[in-house]
Amino acid sequence: MAGRIREDDIAEVREKARIDEVVSSYVTLRKAGGGSLKGLCPFHDEKSPSFNVNPSRGYFHCFGCQEGGDVINFLMKIDGLSFAETVERLADKYGVQLRREDGDAPERPRGPARGRLIEANKVAQEFYAGQLETVEAVAAREFLTSRGFDQDAAATFGIGFAPRDGEALARHLRGRSFSDEDAIAAGLVAMGRSAYDRFRGRLLWPIRDASGDTIGFGARRIFDDDKIEAKYLNTSETVLYKKSQVLYGIDLARRDMARSSQAVVVEGYTDVMACHLSGVPTAVATCGTAFGDDHARVLRRFLHDHEEFRGEVIFTFDGDAAGQKAALKAFGGDQNFVSQTYVAIEPDGLDPCDLRIQKGDAAVRELVAKRQPLYRFVLANVVTKYDLDRADGRIDAMREAAGLVSSIRDRSKVDAFAREIAGMIGVDVDDARREVRRAAARAERPDERRAAPATAAEPSRPQVPSLRDPRFSTERETLKIVIQHPGAVGRVIEGVGPHDFSHPTYRGVWEAVAAAGGPAAGAKDNGWSARVRSSAADPAVSSAISELGVEPVLTPAEPTPTYVAMHVYRLQELTTMRRIAELKSRLQRTNPVEHAAPYNKMFGELVALEQHRRNLRDQQVKSQ
């Protein structure tokens, strides 16, 4: 069995796999100054972007959840891969030939590796696409034609056909060296008495992740004698395919979403196709499930949706009862977005695909352009259920609408919604506000009103100061230079040691730097930053290293020797000042008559330290 991957090959992978390119497959990044990029963190939900990437140093760090590291750490975290799987995946993508050392073999992961499953889905998609051209697929091609899609459209979206022979794909995968275990884990094949294809005699849409890898399929019934009556079947949950987190068309829409800060959420595969072909390239759809919180998080990352930058999310629903129910659900999740939410409903109840067939591409674009605010649509649907010419009808309408509004977690929107209620129903706005407050009080759970029971006081623990405390600004800037620009440090850093860092975390960072060979080693090693992070045993220190690796240095250009020297001398001056303060305190506590010898010794040390401090100050002035 193969041994461990060689360290120099891992270093080459880190060098060639640009972290900004890899991260951009999952997060929309924008320039943040100082050579850094910023976006919404994919590891926790946030309203303002705190996720930073420093391409020059190959580091990412989130100032919100403290996740950080290099390109390998990022992929391991976001895709749930092992270290070896991540290195192999990046090596394959960036053309690095991996060599292995003799010795103990790594523990084999349970089941096929993720890369193997992606490759199996890729081979399956190519097989299905080829089958669409066969005689057996006439019905599939006729369906596409009837929906207004030609051969070029089918090729653009990778559409295919699953043969009615229940083992055609299984045989094909075996011929391409995939085991039945691989095919089953990928969701392509199931096991009965023998392995058989999950999809048979159906039109297939490949479902891809944001990077363009096929991770599953959606299959439509086209034959009347299909034994499975469900119109649509989707890949079952696998390591790759999580329906609550998948959006069909995200691979094609993500760049236009980032450019326009707009996302259009439709209900089906053909609706996505119709929108893209009509000039609405930001359309996506859920896959066999309702739009939920996880889908919202995916959209927010690509919309760059945060407090300082607002876009728009447009839902398209049918005008029937099911569409109104879907709108209510979307309204319930409205607060997931900072972006404004809208709804686009065609008056005749046509979905985007039917609209394109009957009225052309321009009508699809017009549907999106004539969107209306989601909250207005939802409240109007509530209000229209009541006879507003009657006083009791107005009261009942106000009560139901207020109950809906009171459920909104974003309290800043409540007053605006109360005004909408008042205008729609024809009541005083203060009455509407009062009804919303009453609805909120009724919904409040009793246990939330009770005061929390008193608990015994826990023993106090020493609080570690914030890393951003101004007292440690020189320590922070010096370490940023060391982590990001080790080649610029030079010999001036040689006099610095752990004692120069008063913050325990910064002291730990310096110790990790020293363990990795110091700045001199970093000047010759592109993977040195990752090596520094791996030298840190304390998670707080590890997090600080990635944080220091992405935060811009406070100089517009590459740090000059004088800039470096100024910070190093200031750092050493602060250390000297702390020693002076300690020595003065000891002198004050020492009787010069009774303890003349130690007193005189300390006084001499104090004079020497004061002279050293003045020299450091002079060197700072010269370096400016």
Side-chain angles (χ1 to χ4, degrees):
M1 294 177 66
R4 294 183 178 87
I5 302 171
R6 290 177 54 166
E7 286 294 332
D8 49 350
D9 291 343
I10 295 173
E12 186 178 357
V13 168
R14 284 194 175 101
E15 180 180 356
K16 289 188 174 180
R18 288 186 55 86
I19 192 167
D20 51 331
E21 180 179 302
V22 173
V23 172
S24 291
S25 295
Y26 301 85
V27 181
T28 292
L29 297 173
R30 299 182 188 272
K31 292 181 179 179
S36 289
L37 304 169
K38 182 179 284 190
L40 290 172
C41 181
F43 303 123
H44 81 290
D45 199 22
E46 60 179 3
K47 294 294 185 183
S48 297
S50 57
F51 181 84
N52 286 253
V53 174
N54 187 317
S56 65
R57 301 310 306 168
Y59 255 75
F60 78 92
H61 183 82
C62 175
F63 292 92
C65 68
Q66 304 306 312
E67 287 288 347
D70 62 11
V71 65
I72 296 175
N73 299 127
F74 178 82
L75 275 186
M76 287 175 66
K77 174 72 176 177
I78 200 164
D79 283 336
L81 305 176
S82 69
F83 181 84
E85 286 174 330
T86 305
V87 173
E88 289 167 355
R89 180 175 169 186
L90 290 172
D92 181 63
K93 181 174 182 178
Y94 291 95
V96 178
Q97 184 68 41
L98 296 179
R99 297 162 295 173
R100 296 182 181 271
E101 298 173 343
D102 294 333
D104 296 335
E107 182 181 351
R108 179 178 174 80
R110 297 178 181 177
R114 187 179 190 277
R116 185 72 171 163
L117 302 185
I118 288 176
E119 186 63 25
N121 274 281
K122 177 183 177 183
V123 170
Q125 189 273 321
E126 292 170 348
F127 171 77
Y128 287 140
Q131 293 298 308
L132 187 62
E133 304 302 317
T134 64
V135 174
E136 189 184 6
V138 170
R141 294 195 296 274
E142 288 177 346
F143 172 85
L144 289 173
T145 301
S146 72
R147 307 303 288 162
F149 305 125
D150 57 18
Q151 187 175 6
D152 288 341
T156 297
F157 291 89
I159 298 173
F161 173 73
R164 307 194 78 177
D165 174 0
E167 298 181 4
L169 178 63
R171 288 194 300 270
H172 181 74
L173 290 172
R174 291 189 200 107
R176 294 291 296 272
S177 301
F178 290 95
S179 67
D180 286 348
E181 181 191 10
D182 294 334
I184 292 169
L188 300 167
V189 168
M191 182 62 72
R193 293 180 180 177
S194 61
Y196 63 91
D197 298 350
R198 280 193 175 274
F199 304 115
R200 302 178 297 283
R202 292 201 167 216
L203 186 64
L204 294 174
W205 284 264
I207 299 169
R208 297 169 174 140
D209 64 14
S211 65
D213 289 330
T214 299
I215 57 175
F217 292 89
R220 192 192 193 281
R221 188 175 190 262
I222 55 175
F223 293 111
D224 292 337
D225 61 348
D226 193 326
K227 294 181 180 179
I228 301 175
E229 294 186 1
K231 182 185 288 187
Y232 282 97
L233 292 175
N234 290 86
T235 296
S236 56
E237 296 276 310
T238 69
V239 171
L240 302 178
Y241 182 83
K242 309 290 183 186
K243 66 180 180 181
S244 66
Q245 302 170 13
V246 172
L247 288 168
Y248 176 71
I250 192 69
D251 56 310
L252 299 175
R254 55 182 293 266
R255 287 183 174 81
D256 285 290
M257 285 168 50
R259 281 195 290 266
S260 65
S261 295
Q262 179 197 80
V264 178
V265 182
V266 299
E267 293 191 326
Y269 306 126
T270 56
D271 292 331
V272 171
M273 294 177 68
C275 284
H276 281 256
L277 296 173
S278 298
V280 183
T282 58
V284 294
T286 60
C287 301
T289 186
F291 188 89
D293 291 350
D294 288 338
H295 297 120
R297 292 187 186 99
V298 173
L299 281 187
R300 292 194 66 234
R301 294 205 307 266
F302 292 112
L303 279 172
H304 204 62
D305 175 49
H306 58 82
E307 298 289 1
E308 295 82 24
F309 193 91
R310 293 172 181 262
E312 58 183 34
V313 179
I314 304 168
F315 295 93
T316 64
F317 300 116
D318 293 335
D320 57 13
Q324 292 180 23
K325 184 178 179 181
L328 277 170
K329 180 175 176 59
F331 181 70
D334 174 79
Q335 54 267 38
N336 287 323
F337 296 102
V338 173
S339 293
Q340 303 299 314
T341 50
Y342 297 86
V343 61
I345 294 182
E346 210 279 327
D348 296 330
L350 300 175
D351 60 31
C353 185
D354 288 331
L355 181 61
R356 178 173 180 261
I357 293 169
Q358 296 185 26
K359 301 182 181 181
D361 291 349
V364 177
R365 296 193 296 271
E366 186 177 4
L367 170 68
V368 175
K370 288 185 174 180
R371 63 203 180 276
Q372 61 175 300
L374 176 61
Y375 72 85
R376 189 169 296 156
F377 171 79
V378 170
L379 293 176
N381 272 294
V382 169
V383 170
T384 53
K385 295 191 301 183
Y386 298 92
D387 182 356
L388 301 183
D389 290 332
R390 294 170 55 93
D392 58 344
R394 292 193 294 273
I395 291 172
D396 291 341
M398 182 168 62
R399 185 170 295 158
E400 183 175 348
L404 194 65
V405 168
S406 69
S407 67
I408 298 299
R409 290 193 296 268
D410 187 346
R411 308 315 297 172
S412 65
K413 296 180 179 180
V414 169
D415 187 66
F417 290 163
R419 289 178 177 274
E420 289 284 337
I421 292 173
M424 288 177 178
I425 298 174
V427 297
D428 186 79
V429 67
D430 289 332
D431 290 340
R433 287 172 177 155
R434 278 193 293 270
E435 190 58 45
V436 170
R437 288 196 293 270
R438 291 192 192 102
R442 286 193 296 268
E444 186 181 46
R445 294 197 300 270
D447 59 338
E448 290 177 336
R449 292 197 298 265
R450 289 197 299 266
T455 56
E458 295 183 359
S460 61
R461 298 178 181 177
Q463 294 292 318
V464 177
S466 167
L467 292 176
R468 293 184 173 279
D469 190 308
R471 292 175 295 168
F472 310 109
S473 60
T474 300
E475 297 179 25
R476 185 179 186 86
E477 187 68 8
T478 304
L479 288 173
K480 278 160 54 178
I481 298 169
V482 169
I483 295 292
Q484 297 182 35
H485 305 280
V489 172
R491 298 179 63 87
V492 71
I493 203 74
E494 290 179 355
V496 172
H499 59 278
D500 289 306
F501 299 91
S502 57
H503 194 294
T505 301
Y506 288 146
R507 189 179 309 120
V509 171
W510 179 260
E511 289 169 347
V513 167
K524 305 172 185 177
D525 183 0
N526 289 326
W528 180 76
S529 297
R531 200 181 305 280
V532 172
R533 194 168 188 268
S534 65
S535 300
D538 184 349
V541 172
S542 181
S543 176
I545 292 169
S546 61
E547 184 175 322
L548 295 166
V550 300
E551 184 178 298
V553 175
L554 300 178
T555 178
E558 188 86 5
T560 62
T562 55
Y563 185 82
V564 175
M566 180 177 66
H567 282 83
V568 171
Y569 292 142
R570 176 58 178 163
L571 183 72
Q572 292 174 323
E573 182 190 8
L574 290 173
T575 301
T576 304
M577 290 170 67
R578 287 195 297 273
R579 292 175 61 191
I580 289 171
E582 292 170 1
L583 201 55
K584 284 183 176 179
S585 176
R586 287 167 57 193
L587 278 171
Q588 288 179 347
R589 299 193 304 272
T590 303
N591 188 309
V593 177
E594 296 178 2
H595 305 285
Y599 183 93
N600 291 333
K601 181 180 180 182
M602 285 189 287
F603 188 83
E605 290 175 1
L606 180 61
V607 171
L609 285 172
E610 289 284 7
Q611 181 60 48
H612 182 56
R613 186 190 65 78
R614 286 192 291 271
N615 291 339
L616 289 170
R617 176 59 60 84
D618 291 342
Q619 288 174 312
Q620 287 178 63
V621 173
K622 292 177 182 177
S623 65
Q624 292 178 353

